[in-house]
């Protein structure tokens, strides 16, 4: 599985847009990029997944450049409830053996 | 659906005792995963099952750990004997298919071994 690198922590304020970038230089052709969110005392929760270009859902947007060696999770107008740890994972989107490896994640703190 | 159900939510036990953690996956899901989370090591995959069959247990730390899935709606993770270093939050997750996305995690069991 491709190794991922993301910032350990980030700070933001309510109402701001937050962009978390993840590097995955060794991403394979079949790999998808997936982001999970984890609140304190809860299990991780799937946020968004993409293969290339841009993906948007009701929670976030995911931007993936053409070379796919990095990706950016964008959270629009964050609120205090977005304070959580965000994990970037890279692996096969479907089929085949796929061992999830969660890195340290990015600890996002949203301030009033 | 009630989501993935884990019990107990908290467990405090003494070193040397047997500990059994339980998980009920989401109905219809054919994959079940056990993870362990600590501050030092983060979130680690211990073992996963497909259609009740263990597929990869390479993450199980040692022989003191064992996991079973007797049927599609129930799995256990057992530690015998338990040690203080086993203190962690243990998560169970399930999914339909092995796709990277959309594993559904339970609330976790916080285990403290004194």
């Amino acid at each position: 599985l491709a190794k991922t690198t993301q910032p350990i922590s980030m700070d933001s304020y309510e109402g701001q847009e937050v962009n978390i970038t993840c590097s995955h230089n060794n991403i394979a052709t079949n790999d998808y990029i997936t982001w999970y969110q984890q609140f304190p005392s809860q299990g991780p929760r799937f946020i968004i997944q993409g293969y290339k270009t841009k993906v948007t859902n009701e929670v976030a947007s995911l931007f993936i450049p053409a070379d796919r060696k990095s990706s950016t999770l964008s959270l629009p107008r964050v609120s205090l409830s977005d304070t959580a740890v965000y994990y970037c994972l890279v692996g096969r989107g479907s089929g085949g053996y796929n061992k999830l490896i969660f890195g340290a994640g990015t600890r996002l703190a949203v301030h009033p | 659906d009630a989501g993935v159900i884990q019990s107990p939510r908290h467990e405090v036990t003494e070193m040397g005792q047997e500990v059994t953690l339980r998980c009920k996956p989401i109905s219809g899901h054919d994959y079940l995963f056990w993870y362990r989370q600590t501050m030092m090591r983060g979130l680690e995959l211990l073992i996963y099952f497909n259609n009740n069959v263990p597929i990869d247990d390479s993450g199980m730390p040692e022989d003191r750990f064992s996991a079973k899935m007797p049927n599609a709606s129930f799995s256990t993770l057992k530690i015998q004997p338990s040690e203080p270093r086993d203190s962690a939050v243990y998560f169970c997750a399930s999914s339909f298919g092995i796709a990277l996305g959309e594993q559904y995690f339970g609330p976790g069991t916080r285990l403290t071994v004194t």
Side-chain angles (χ1 to χ4, degrees):
Chain A
L1 290 178
K3 180 182 177 181
T4 61
T5 302
Q6 51 183 124
I8 294 297
S9 64
M10 295 182 68
D11 288 275
S12 183
Y13 293 90
E14 286 188 291
Q16 290 188 334
E17 178 184 73
V18 172
N19 296 309
I20 305 174
T21 298
C22 178
S23 298
H24 28 79
N25 292 319
N26 297 323
I27 190 169
T29 303
N30 294 333
D31 286 344
Y32 280 68
I33 300 149
T34 305
W35 287 80
Y36 278 78
Q37 173 191 57
Q38 185 177 23
F39 296 114
S41 301
Q42 295 186 27
R45 182 183 71 152
F46 169 84
I47 301 178
I48 196 167
Q49 182 181 70
Y51 182 79
K52 61 180 179 180
T53 63
K54 177 183 175 182
V55 179
T56 298
N57 61 23
E58 65 278 7
V59 177
S61 294
L62 180 60
F63 298 91
I64 306 168
D67 66 6
R68 304 199 327 121
K69 294 185 182 300
S70 67
S71 59
T72 299
L73 175 73
S74 180
L75 305 173
R77 297 180 298 281
V78 294
S79 63
L80 296 176
S81 62
D82 292 316
T83 294
V85 179
Y86 293 83
Y87 298 96
C88 167
L89 294 92
V90 172
R92 290 190 178 182
S94 64
Y97 177 77
N98 200 33
K99 185 174 181 176
L100 265 64
I101 299 177
F102 284 79
T106 297
R107 190 172 298 274
L108 173 65
V110 180
H111 306 281
Chain B
D1 199 313
V4 175
I5 299 172
Q6 290 186 247
S7 64
R9 292 296 309 277
H10 302 273
E11 177 79 34
V12 180
T13 190
E14 293 183 348
M15 181 174 62
Q17 296 298 307
E18 177 180 294
V19 175
T20 299
L21 311 181
R22 297 172 176 79
C23 175
K24 175 179 170 56
I26 292 174
S27 177
H29 283 186
D30 55 351
Y31 283 84
L32 183 138
F33 307 81
W34 282 100
Y35 291 86
R36 177 173 69 174
Q37 186 170 39
T38 62
M39 289 295 293
M40 292 296 295
R41 301 177 65 88
L43 193 61
E44 305 172 279
L45 176 65
L46 301 177
I47 184 172
Y48 79 89
F49 296 81
N50 175 220
N51 291 325
N52 314 336
V53 177
I55 303 300
D56 182 2
D57 65 353
S58 60
M60 296 286 262
E62 49 197 276
D63 292 344
R64 297 185 297 105
F65 286 69
S66 63
K68 295 181 179 179
M69 192 166 186
N71 57 62
S73 59
F74 184 67
S75 176
T76 60
L77 178 68
K78 185 175 295 185
I79 308 172
Q80 166 63 19
S82 59
E83 297 182 3
R85 58 185 169 139
D86 301 330
S87 297
V89 180
Y90 291 81
F91 290 104
C92 176
S94 70
S95 67
F96 179 67
I98 194 60
L100 182 63
E102 304 215 48
Q103 281 191 16
Y104 293 83
F105 283 74
T109 296
R110 181 173 295 277
L111 173 64
T112 303
V113 183
T114 61

